[in-house]
Amino acid sequence: MALRFWKGYDMSYLDTTGRVFDIQRYSIHDGPGIRTIVFIKGCVLRCRWCCNPESQEYRIQTMKVQGVDKTIGRDVTVREMLAEVEQDRPYYYRSGGGMTLSGGECLCQPEFTAALLRAAKEHGINTAIESMACASWDKIENILPWLDLYLMDIKHMNGDKHKEFTGKDNALMLENARKVALSGKTQLVIRVPVIPTFNDTVEEIQDIARFAATLPGVKKIHLLPYHRLGQDKYDGLGREYLMRDILPPGAEHMETLKKAVHAVCPLDCQIGG
């Protein structure tokens, strides 16, 4: 579908440039329906379990994939990115899907993120972001008019442990979670990556659930079990994978955590998301 233009309307924002490192089509995760996920480069956290370590650095990198050097990162305009997303429009119509921005942390490129969300919304495409909300409030507030769904990671309620495993404490993220909820401008879903040795006890998950239940308008919390699918990427980048000896949580344990959430709050809790 061709991009629509309006006479006299300022379309210069379509020339905003950003750096992406992957596009995942036909996803049934990270938002309703069939999604096109745009992975944006750059992140302020260094989570030990990160499954996209190639996202953390803003710079363009080389990563070995099955023994072959692969360039990670390319610069695109909003106009170019929207044209790629538009190719999947028939799937959005049929499924209620749309575009999701992920990373990394898409708020590390706030101008590009805001412009791409705006372009999608102005072309009738449902929008979502997967984000830790680790950014100044003005950057978050700027994207809310163009955002249908905010999938926000809350990893831990203890600031010291959060910093130990991610590199930063959680104060700003928790503050922004409350501000987004109070704004009432977008649907907010809390997501918890369940990481053994970090936050996989009943008490830790219940602490997060209690916090989520205090956020106005929040009805859902997703528990995302840790996996090791990104382990080979660390080898390809010449980096050490610090979680190499950590096993994913079993299905029985995830069900126990789900029941623990239901025991302390009325939120709709699901495993995966």
Side-chain angles (χ1 to χ4, degrees):
M1 180 176 178
L3 304 189
R4 300 194 296 272
F5 295 89
W6 293 269
K7 184 177 180 180
Y9 185 69
D10 182 11
M11 307 294 289
S12 61
Y13 76 94
L14 291 172
D15 296 319
T16 305
T17 300
R19 184 166 292 174
V20 304
F21 69 94
D22 199 8
I23 299 174
Q24 181 179 326
R25 301 186 183 278
Y26 320 124
S27 174
I28 56 172
H29 304 289
D30 299 317
I34 296 174
R35 316 292 299 183
T36 303
I37 305 178
V38 180
F39 291 87
I40 295 178
K41 233 175 176 310
C43 189
V44 294
L45 301 185
R46 292 295 182 266
C47 301
R48 293 183 185 179
W49 60 89
C50 180
C51 62
N52 291 325
E54 74 276 34
S55 74
Q56 294 178 351
E57 298 287 343
Y58 173 74
R59 64 185 175 89
I60 294 175
Q61 298 168 282
T62 299
M63 180 173 72
K64 283 197 177 296
V65 179
Q66 296 181 337
V68 178
D69 285 346
K70 179 180 179 181
T71 299
I72 305 296
R74 62 186 174 102
D75 294 334
V76 296
T77 65
V78 167
R79 190 188 308 271
E80 292 167 335
M81 196 73 261
L82 184 61
E84 292 194 43
V85 171
E86 283 271 10
Q87 296 175 22
D88 298 333
R89 183 181 285 273
Y91 298 98
Y92 310 151
Y93 278 139
R94 296 170 189 168
S95 69
M99 177 187 76
T100 299
L101 304 187
S102 187
E105 169 56 76
C106 61
L107 294 171
C108 285
Q109 297 187 50
E111 293 82 9
F112 179 69
T113 291
L116 185 51
L117 291 172
R118 174 183 172 184
K121 282 301 294 179
E122 290 186 346
H123 287 79
I125 297 173
N126 178 275
T127 60
I129 66 170
E130 191 280 320
S131 160
M132 291 84 68
C134 190
S136 61
W137 172 244
D138 62 298
K139 294 175 182 177
I140 296 175
E141 189 175 31
N142 191 44
I143 69 170
L144 293 182
W146 318 110
L147 187 61
D148 293 309
L149 174 64
Y150 199 136
L151 300 166
M152 185 181 295
D153 278 11
I154 301 291
K155 307 177 194 301
H156 210 288
M157 294 305 296
N158 181 289
D160 291 335
K161 195 167 187 182
H162 193 282
K163 185 173 183 178
E164 178 187 354
F165 277 75
T166 73
K168 287 187 178 292
D169 69 30
N170 58 357
L172 178 61
M173 303 168 219
L174 298 180
E175 177 185 352
N176 283 334
R178 188 163 298 282
K179 287 181 176 179
V180 171
L182 288 170
S183 77
K185 292 181 178 179
T186 187
Q187 181 187 358
L188 177 61
V189 173
I190 300 303
R191 308 213 303 181
V192 186
V194 177
I195 314 297
T197 73
F198 172 57
N199 67 354
D200 70 329
T201 68
V202 165
E203 293 76 17
E204 287 166 317
I205 294 298
Q206 285 184 332
D207 283 347
I208 298 172
R210 289 189 185 97
F211 171 76
T214 69
L215 301 175
V218 170
K219 299 178 181 179
K220 295 182 179 181
I221 183 169
H222 297 168
L223 303 181
L224 311 180
Y226 162 73
H227 60 76
R228 297 192 291 188
L229 298 180
Q231 181 172 332
D232 290 345
K233 295 180 180 181
Y234 288 82
D235 295 332
L237 291 168
R239 291 177 52 186
E240 180 184 6
Y241 184 57
L242 298 176
M243 305 287 286
R244 191 174 297 274
D245 297 325
I246 303 301
L247 296 177
E252 184 177 349
H253 184 59
M254 292 302 300
E255 286 294 335
T256 295
L257 297 180
K258 179 179 177 179
K259 291 177 182 177
V261 170
H262 288 153
V264 297
C265 74
L267 296 179
D268 176 13
C269 179
Q270 70 181 56
I271 299 171

